[in-house]
Every structure is written in structure tokens, then in C-alpha cells.
Amino acid sequence: MGFETKMLTYGEPDDEKTFVFQDPLEAIRSKCEQTEHCVHAKERLEMCEARVSSRSNTEEDCTEELFDFLHARDHCVAHKLFHNVK
């Protein structure tokens, strides 16, 4: 997901330029989701979601697995994000 800004320049209407800005947080999150620890946590979350969705009457939810995955991803992001922000 990026932000698009259209900027008109002086001259002909054909001179319109499009700039796409990408949020560095999204790029770093996607890289961190590929690390070994995050992949393992995501697999546990997906297994839990499959188990819960296969049952018709259950009180189980996957909150713990979701928080484990988000914690692992955010831990990775925290170490990399501020090196990219100026």
C-alpha cells in the first residue's frame, strides 16, 4: 500500500507526473514476517485458525497465537525501523 500524489507542472496537461510514496514500516514488516521466528509464529497462528474454523461449536479463539506473532514481528521491526527513518 502506497500513497499516490499527482502533481501538475507548468505547461501542457500531458506533463502530469505521478509519485508513489511507500511507507517504510510496511516494507520492514513484510521482511520481518519472513524471518524464522515470525514464520514459526505465523504457522502456529494459521494452524489455530484452521482448527477453530473447522469446529462448529467452540469457545477457543486464537488470541494468544495472534499476539505471539505480532510480538515477534514487532520485535524485529523495532530493531530495523529507525535506521530507515530520517
Short mmCIF file of all heavy atoms in Angstrom, two decimals, residues 14-43:
data_model
loop_
_atom_site.label_atom_id
_atom_site.label_comp_id
_atom_site.label_asym_id
_atom_site.label_seq_id
_atom_site.Cartn_x
_atom_site.Cartn_y
_atom_site.Cartn_z
N ASP A 14 -0.35 17.26 -20.53
CA ASP A 14 0.29 15.95 -20.66
C ASP A 14 1.48 15.81 -19.72
O ASP A 14 2.02 14.72 -19.56
CB ASP A 14 0.77 15.73 -22.09
CG ASP A 14 -0.39 15.75 -23.07
OD1 ASP A 14 -1.54 15.57 -22.63
OD2 ASP A 14 -0.14 15.95 -24.27
N ASP A 15 1.91 16.89 -19.10
CA ASP A 15 3.10 16.88 -18.26
C ASP A 15 2.80 16.42 -16.83
O ASP A 15 3.57 16.67 -15.92
CB ASP A 15 3.73 18.28 -18.21
CG ASP A 15 4.27 18.70 -19.56
OD1 ASP A 15 4.49 17.81 -20.41
OD2 ASP A 15 4.47 19.90 -19.77
N GLU A 16 1.67 15.75 -16.61
CA GLU A 16 1.30 15.30 -15.27
C GLU A 16 2.22 14.16 -14.85
O GLU A 16 2.49 13.24 -15.61
CB GLU A 16 -0.15 14.81 -15.30
CG GLU A 16 -0.68 14.45 -13.94
CD GLU A 16 -2.14 14.05 -14.02
OE1 GLU A 16 -2.97 14.89 -14.39
OE2 GLU A 16 -2.41 12.89 -13.72
N LYS A 17 2.72 14.24 -13.62
CA LYS A 17 3.63 13.22 -13.10
C LYS A 17 2.99 12.59 -11.87
O LYS A 17 2.31 13.26 -11.11
CB LYS A 17 4.98 13.84 -12.72
CG LYS A 17 5.72 14.40 -13.91
CD LYS A 17 7.04 14.96 -13.49
CE LYS A 17 7.76 15.54 -14.71
NZ LYS A 17 9.05 16.08 -14.36
N THR A 18 3.23 11.32 -11.68
CA THR A 18 2.71 10.59 -10.52
C THR A 18 3.88 10.12 -9.67
O THR A 18 4.81 9.49 -10.18
CB THR A 18 1.87 9.38 -10.97
OG1 THR A 18 0.81 9.84 -11.79
CG2 THR A 18 1.30 8.66 -9.77
N PHE A 19 3.81 10.42 -8.39
CA PHE A 19 4.83 9.99 -7.44
C PHE A 19 4.18 9.01 -6.48
O PHE A 19 3.10 9.25 -5.97
CB PHE A 19 5.38 11.18 -6.65
CG PHE A 19 6.04 12.21 -7.52
CD1 PHE A 19 5.35 13.33 -7.94
CD2 PHE A 19 7.35 12.04 -7.93
CE1 PHE A 19 5.95 14.28 -8.73
CE2 PHE A 19 7.96 12.98 -8.73
CZ PHE A 19 7.26 14.10 -9.13
N VAL A 20 4.83 7.89 -6.23
CA VAL A 20 4.31 6.89 -5.30
C VAL A 20 5.25 6.84 -4.11
O VAL A 20 6.45 6.58 -4.26
CB VAL A 20 4.21 5.51 -5.97
CG1 VAL A 20 3.73 4.47 -4.98
CG2 VAL A 20 3.28 5.57 -7.17
N PHE A 21 4.71 7.07 -2.92
CA PHE A 21 5.48 7.01 -1.69
C PHE A 21 5.12 5.73 -0.96
O PHE A 21 3.96 5.43 -0.78
CB PHE A 21 5.17 8.22 -0.80
CG PHE A 21 5.49 9.53 -1.45
CD1 PHE A 21 4.49 10.31 -1.98
CD2 PHE A 21 6.79 9.97 -1.54
CE1 PHE A 21 4.76 11.52 -2.58
CE2 PHE A 21 7.09 11.17 -2.14
CZ PHE A 21 6.07 11.95 -2.67
N GLN A 22 6.12 4.97 -0.55
CA GLN A 22 5.88 3.74 0.18
C GLN A 22 6.24 3.95 1.64
O GLN A 22 7.30 4.49 1.96
CB GLN A 22 6.69 2.59 -0.40
CG GLN A 22 6.38 1.28 0.27
CD GLN A 22 7.11 0.12 -0.36
OE1 GLN A 22 7.88 0.29 -1.28
NE2 GLN A 22 6.86 -1.06 0.13
N ASP A 23 5.35 3.50 2.50
CA ASP A 23 5.58 3.59 3.93
C ASP A 23 6.70 2.61 4.30
O ASP A 23 6.58 1.41 4.03
CB ASP A 23 4.30 3.24 4.67
CG ASP A 23 4.40 3.41 6.17
OD1 ASP A 23 5.44 3.92 6.65
OD2 ASP A 23 3.44 3.05 6.87
N PRO A 24 7.80 3.07 4.91
CA PRO A 24 8.89 2.15 5.25
C PRO A 24 8.47 1.10 6.26
O PRO A 24 9.02 0.00 6.27
CB PRO A 24 9.99 3.06 5.81
CG PRO A 24 9.31 4.32 6.17
CD PRO A 24 8.11 4.45 5.28
N LEU A 25 7.48 1.40 7.08
CA LEU A 25 7.02 0.43 8.07
C LEU A 25 6.44 -0.82 7.39
O LEU A 25 6.71 -1.94 7.81
CB LEU A 25 5.98 1.06 8.99
CG LEU A 25 5.39 0.17 10.07
CD1 LEU A 25 6.48 -0.31 11.01
CD2 LEU A 25 4.31 0.92 10.83
N GLU A 26 5.67 -0.63 6.34
CA GLU A 26 5.08 -1.76 5.63
C GLU A 26 6.16 -2.64 4.99
O GLU A 26 6.06 -3.87 5.03
CB GLU A 26 4.10 -1.27 4.57
CG GLU A 26 2.88 -0.58 5.13
CD GLU A 26 2.03 -1.47 6.01
OE1 GLU A 26 1.91 -2.68 5.72
OE2 GLU A 26 1.53 -0.97 7.03
N ALA A 27 7.16 -2.03 4.41
CA ALA A 27 8.24 -2.79 3.78
C ALA A 27 9.02 -3.59 4.82
O ALA A 27 9.35 -4.77 4.60
CB ALA A 27 9.18 -1.85 3.03
N ILE A 28 9.31 -2.99 5.95
CA ILE A 28 10.06 -3.67 7.00
C ILE A 28 9.22 -4.79 7.62
O ILE A 28 9.73 -5.87 7.91
CB ILE A 28 10.54 -2.67 8.07
CG1 ILE A 28 11.55 -1.72 7.44
CG2 ILE A 28 11.14 -3.39 9.26
CD1 ILE A 28 11.94 -0.57 8.32
N ARG A 29 7.92 -4.55 7.80
CA ARG A 29 7.05 -5.61 8.33
C ARG A 29 7.06 -6.83 7.43
O ARG A 29 7.13 -7.96 7.91
CB ARG A 29 5.62 -5.10 8.49
CG ARG A 29 5.39 -4.33 9.75
CD ARG A 29 3.95 -3.92 9.86
NE ARG A 29 3.71 -3.20 11.10
CZ ARG A 29 2.65 -2.47 11.32
NH1 ARG A 29 1.70 -2.36 10.41
NH2 ARG A 29 2.50 -1.85 12.47
N SER A 30 6.96 -6.61 6.13
CA SER A 30 6.94 -7.76 5.21
C SER A 30 8.26 -8.52 5.24
O SER A 30 8.28 -9.75 5.14
CB SER A 30 6.58 -7.31 3.80
OG SER A 30 7.58 -6.49 3.27
N LYS A 31 9.38 -7.82 5.39
CA LYS A 31 10.68 -8.50 5.50
C LYS A 31 10.78 -9.27 6.81
O LYS A 31 11.30 -10.39 6.85
CB LYS A 31 11.82 -7.49 5.41
CG LYS A 31 12.05 -6.96 4.03
CD LYS A 31 13.21 -5.99 4.00
CE LYS A 31 13.38 -5.38 2.61
NZ LYS A 31 14.45 -4.38 2.59
N CYS A 32 10.29 -8.66 7.88
CA CYS A 32 10.37 -9.32 9.19
C CYS A 32 9.48 -10.56 9.25
O CYS A 32 9.79 -11.51 9.96
CB CYS A 32 9.99 -8.34 10.30
SG CYS A 32 11.31 -7.18 10.70
N GLU A 33 8.37 -10.56 8.54
CA GLU A 33 7.48 -11.72 8.53
C GLU A 33 8.14 -12.93 7.89
O GLU A 33 7.66 -14.05 8.06
CB GLU A 33 6.18 -11.39 7.80
CG GLU A 33 5.28 -10.48 8.60
CD GLU A 33 4.01 -10.10 7.87
OE1 GLU A 33 3.77 -10.61 6.75
OE2 GLU A 33 3.25 -9.28 8.41
N GLN A 34 9.24 -12.74 7.20
CA GLN A 34 9.94 -13.84 6.54
C GLN A 34 11.06 -14.42 7.40
O GLN A 34 11.70 -15.39 6.99
CB GLN A 34 10.48 -13.37 5.19
CG GLN A 34 9.39 -12.96 4.24
CD GLN A 34 9.93 -12.28 3.00
OE1 GLN A 34 11.14 -12.21 2.80
NE2 GLN A 34 9.05 -11.79 2.17
N THR A 35 11.30 -13.83 8.58
CA THR A 35 12.35 -14.37 9.45
C THR A 35 11.86 -15.67 10.07
O THR A 35 10.66 -15.94 10.16
CB THR A 35 12.72 -13.37 10.56
OG1 THR A 35 11.58 -13.12 11.38
CG2 THR A 35 13.26 -12.08 9.98
N GLU A 36 12.80 -16.48 10.54
CA GLU A 36 12.47 -17.81 11.05
C GLU A 36 11.49 -17.76 12.22
O GLU A 36 10.53 -18.52 12.28
CB GLU A 36 13.76 -18.52 11.48
CG GLU A 36 13.54 -19.92 12.00
CD GLU A 36 14.84 -20.58 12.42
OE1 GLU A 36 15.92 -20.04 12.14
OE2 GLU A 36 14.76 -21.65 13.02
N HIS A 37 11.73 -16.86 13.16
CA HIS A 37 10.88 -16.77 14.35
C HIS A 37 9.46 -16.36 13.97
O HIS A 37 8.49 -16.92 14.49
CB HIS A 37 11.49 -15.78 15.35
CG HIS A 37 10.82 -15.79 16.67
ND1 HIS A 37 10.87 -16.87 17.52
CD2 HIS A 37 10.08 -14.86 17.30
CE1 HIS A 37 10.19 -16.60 18.61
NE2 HIS A 37 9.70 -15.39 18.51
N CYS A 38 9.32 -15.41 13.06
CA CYS A 38 8.00 -14.95 12.65
C CYS A 38 7.27 -16.01 11.83
O CYS A 38 6.05 -16.17 11.96
CB CYS A 38 8.09 -13.65 11.86
SG CYS A 38 8.58 -12.25 12.86
N VAL A 39 8.00 -16.73 10.99
CA VAL A 39 7.38 -17.79 10.19
C VAL A 39 6.82 -18.86 11.12
O VAL A 39 5.70 -19.35 10.91
CB VAL A 39 8.40 -18.38 9.20
CG1 VAL A 39 7.89 -19.66 8.57
CG2 VAL A 39 8.73 -17.37 8.12
N HIS A 40 7.56 -19.22 12.14
CA HIS A 40 7.10 -20.23 13.10
C HIS A 40 5.84 -19.74 13.82
O HIS A 40 4.87 -20.50 13.96
CB HIS A 40 8.20 -20.56 14.10
CG HIS A 40 7.80 -21.53 15.15
ND1 HIS A 40 7.54 -22.86 14.87
CD2 HIS A 40 7.57 -21.37 16.47
CE1 HIS A 40 7.18 -23.47 15.98
NE2 HIS A 40 7.19 -22.59 16.97
N ALA A 41 5.84 -18.50 14.27
CA ALA A 41 4.67 -17.95 14.96
C ALA A 41 3.46 -17.85 14.03
O ALA A 41 2.33 -18.11 14.43
CB ALA A 41 5.00 -16.57 15.55
N LYS A 42 3.71 -17.49 12.78
CA LYS A 42 2.61 -17.40 11.81
C LYS A 42 2.04 -18.78 11.50
O LYS A 42 0.82 -18.92 11.34
CB LYS A 42 3.09 -16.72 10.53
CG LYS A 42 1.97 -16.37 9.59
CD LYS A 42 2.45 -15.51 8.45
CE LYS A 42 1.27 -15.03 7.62
NZ LYS A 42 1.71 -14.11 6.58
N GLU A 43 2.88 -19.79 11.42
CA GLU A 43 2.40 -21.16 11.20
C GLU A 43 1.51 -21.61 12.34
O GLU A 43 0.47 -22.23 12.13
CB GLU A 43 3.57 -22.11 11.03
CG GLU A 43 4.28 -21.99 9.71
CD GLU A 43 5.53 -22.85 9.63
OE1 GLU A 43 5.93 -23.47 10.65
OE2 GLU A 43 6.14 -22.88 8.54
#
